[in-house]
Amino acid sequence: MPQSAEKVLDHAKLFHEPEYQELFKRKREVFECPSAQEAIDAQREYAKTWDYREKNLARDSLVINPAKACQPLGAVFAAAGFEKTMSFVHGSQGCVAYYRSHLSRHFKEPASAVSSSMTEDAAVFGGLNNMIDGLANTYSLYDPKMIAVSTTCMAEVIGDDLKSFIGNAKNKGSVPQEFDVPHAHTPAFVGSHVDGYDNMMKGILEHFWEGKERNPGASVNIIPGFDGFCVGNNRELKRVLDLMGVSYTILSDASDQFDTPSDGHFRMYSGGTTLADTAGALNAKATVSLQTYCTRKTLDYVGDKGQETASFHYPLGVAGTDELLMKISELAGVEIPESLTLERGRLVDAMADSQAYLHGKKYAIFGDPDFVYAMARFVLETGGEPTHCLATNGNKAWEEEMNTLLASSPFDKDAKVWAGKDLWALRSLMLTEPVDFVIGSSYGKYLERDTGAPLIRLTFPIFDRHHHHRFPLMGYQGGLQLLRTILDKVFDKLDRDSEIPAKTDISFDLTR
């Protein structure tokens, strides 16, 4: 075999060696029962047609590569933004391994979460004993200040009652009676990770706020929502709020938790919203959500407590940032400083500098509802056309909001909104109505391979590129980063399309 201690090959090279190619060939012949190559080629071509597209879009009993994850992932992410909080997922170990690996692969950081390790017996008789033992182990082994409990499919199908289970566990001495154990039911077979985030946020606020008297103050709470760019975005948001002189609390701030230094000390917990600040957030004047569809239940609860509420769709670009800053200025009673006005002008100037390369470009955009709205809006600001806008976890209300946004621009003539569709449907859309670029997560690389449209990675999860999440997309400064990311892909494509000497290199320009 070609692998040896003296010559260690990465799998990208190793599997091209003759020995492995022969293994793959025999596997296809013996185990895969392959069709004739002509039949495979014919089916591949048919899958590019309008006829196949109509059949594909009519599909209602099968989902192929949905652009969403399940509720507990969102709950684990929400809990990670609070001080010394350990996520405790009531369910099987395999589910929790998925949430941890998903977050670790994106952030390139450890993602701590524990499981009640439910197996077949718990599925039949209930998981109370698993909860009792699991909370005791978590409390003694990991020294958290709070344990945030969520659920997987198994616990929800058999109807385990978290509130009573946690109460029984406390009565058994698993954790002290006064120890903070908020909970949220997060059935993975309905909704998506944005709903799990919402349920956990509401559960944590209920835990600290319920039964308490509110003494209204002047501060503003900010809920970022499920954001794979939280490291860069939250830090940029805090910089902007500090410049404005706003008194604020970010509820669930995971920016330090997913960006710990390598200095010889392992940090299972880092940063996060303190539990005291979380309790004190009840007294804020208002709560602002940066992602509407991540906080629908949470904002209803906050509003019932007497606070003003406002929500946005992942504010990006000029207009999105304008709206956010003006609302915070209004709520906090502060002026927007000249320094931010200058930052706005620089973003507008940069967009104008590059307008010739962005105007008329067609995009397919997929991701969470708030992200797709925000990116479509930014694309319109650049003179681009958001031809296909898809959110697997989008609903009719989101679809109507998107259509209203698109109708407000002269660049909407070919734009279409697809709520509830998956990435296999988007493949058909892109093959029959081609675009110049696709914007989304790493899962879009298969769309890039099949359709030829270059992928611009701008949302969670990003597994196959590193460190994007460390830089902001929000705010005017983040808008510059967003603009540069798109432009780099535009110029890379221009170079690739004009790099063959004496054939296409007439426009292989040094200056663009």
Side-chain angles (χ1 to χ4, degrees), residues 16-53:
H16 289 283
E17 293 292 317
E19 294 89 341
Y20 281 97
Q21 289 298 305
E22 179 62 23
L23 286 175
F24 295 150
K25 179 175 180 292
R26 292 175 59 194
K27 175 176 176 288
R28 284 193 296 270
E29 293 172 349
V30 176
F31 296 107
E32 295 180 3
C33 301
S35 300
Q37 188 61 46
E38 294 80 3
I40 295 173
D41 292 340
Q43 183 60 36
R44 182 180 290 116
E45 290 304 310
Y46 173 64
K48 299 177 182 179
T49 66
W50 278 86
D51 184 57
Y52 181 84
R53 164 181 160 150

Side-chain angles (χ1 to χ4, degrees), residues 258-276:
F258 291 124
D259 190 29
T260 58
S262 290
D263 57 4
H265 300 282
F266 172 66
R267 296 167 174 81
M268 180 169 286
Y269 312 104
S270 182
T273 309
T274 67
L275 305 190

Side-chain angles (χ1 to χ4, degrees), residues 42-43 46 129 140 156 183 222 228 246-247 256 318-319 329 356 405 416 454 458 497 505:
Q43 183 60 36
Y46 173 64
N129 290 332
S140 61
E156 290 295 332
H183 68 274
I222 309 289
V246 177
S247 174
D256 289 342
V318 178
S329 173
L405 169 69
K416 294 183 179 64
L458 286 169
D497 292 345
D505 65 343

